[in-house]
């Protein structure tokens, strides 16, 4: 089992690696809230992205990890990314009886933009947040 690592990448940028387990999503929320305290929805967005990494990629397999990066920009905007260990491309379809399947719709509603880079060998899902409202 690998211990989580934490580092400051530069002014306004932080990165931490977490074990690919469901209980680590709570730790991601704390990490993001610590570094982006003025962005009310940042921890929720990060938890949605981290949950997808754990549930839908190789990150959730024994020994898997994912890395969260947060950036606070001088203009008040923020950036969050979750880098996973890759896996299948398709996610489960949203249905009225299925509990999951709505997280990325939430991410869309709460961010300026978001996207995915990488492939089945490793993927990064990122989100750009608007400045906090006063």
């Amino acid at each position: 089992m690998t211990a989580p690592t934490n580092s400051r990448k530069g002014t306004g940028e932080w990165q931490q690696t977490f074990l690919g387990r469901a209980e680590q999503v709570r730790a991601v929320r704390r990490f993001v809230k610590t570094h982006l305290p003025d962005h009310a929805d940042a921890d929720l967005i990060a938890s949605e992205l981290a949950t997808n990494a754990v549930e839908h990629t190789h990150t959730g397999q024994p020994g898997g990890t994912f890395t969260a990066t947060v950036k606070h920009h001088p203009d008040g905007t923020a950036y969050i990314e979750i880098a996973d260990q890759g896996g299948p491309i398709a996610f489960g379809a949203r249905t009225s009886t299925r509990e999951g399947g709505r997280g990325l719709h939430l991410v869309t509603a709460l961010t300026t933009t978001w996207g995915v880079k990488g492939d089945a060998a490793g993927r990064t899902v990122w989100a750009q947040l608007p400045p906090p409202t006063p």
Side-chain angles (χ1 to χ4, degrees):
M1 191 181 293
T2 306
T5 60
N6 189 1
S7 66
R8 183 167 184 155
K9 302 294 285 181
T11 303
E13 182 176 348
W14 299 268
Q15 186 174 73
Q16 184 166 341
T17 300
F18 299 87
L19 298 174
R21 300 156 97 181
E23 65 268 12
Q24 291 293 291
V25 173
R26 185 175 304 130
V28 170
R29 288 182 75 117
R30 283 191 305 270
F31 170 74
V32 170
K33 197 163 203 63
T34 296
H35 298 296
L36 300 175
D38 296 334
H39 289 270
D41 298 319
D43 60 330
L44 175 60
I45 293 162
S47 71
E48 291 296 335
L49 301 180
T51 297
N52 281 349
V54 171
E55 290 184 1
H56 301 292
T57 75
H58 296 304
T59 288
Q61 294 177 355
T65 62
F66 64 94
T67 301
T69 303
V70 295
K71 299 177 187 177
H72 185 270
H73 300 291
D75 65 358
T77 62
Y79 175 85
I80 299 170
E81 70 178 32
I82 302 293
D84 64 44
Q85 294 181 311
I89 302 294
F91 295 102
R94 181 175 65 154
T95 69
S96 61
T97 58
R98 186 169 170 259
E99 186 175 324
R102 295 167 179 82
L104 292 179
H105 295 285
L106 183 64
V107 170
T108 299
L110 297 174
T111 62
T112 305
T113 188
W114 69 274
V116 180
K117 54 189 175 186
D119 56 28
R123 209 172 285 108
T124 299
V125 183
W126 57 269
Q128 185 74 35
L129 287 66
T133 54

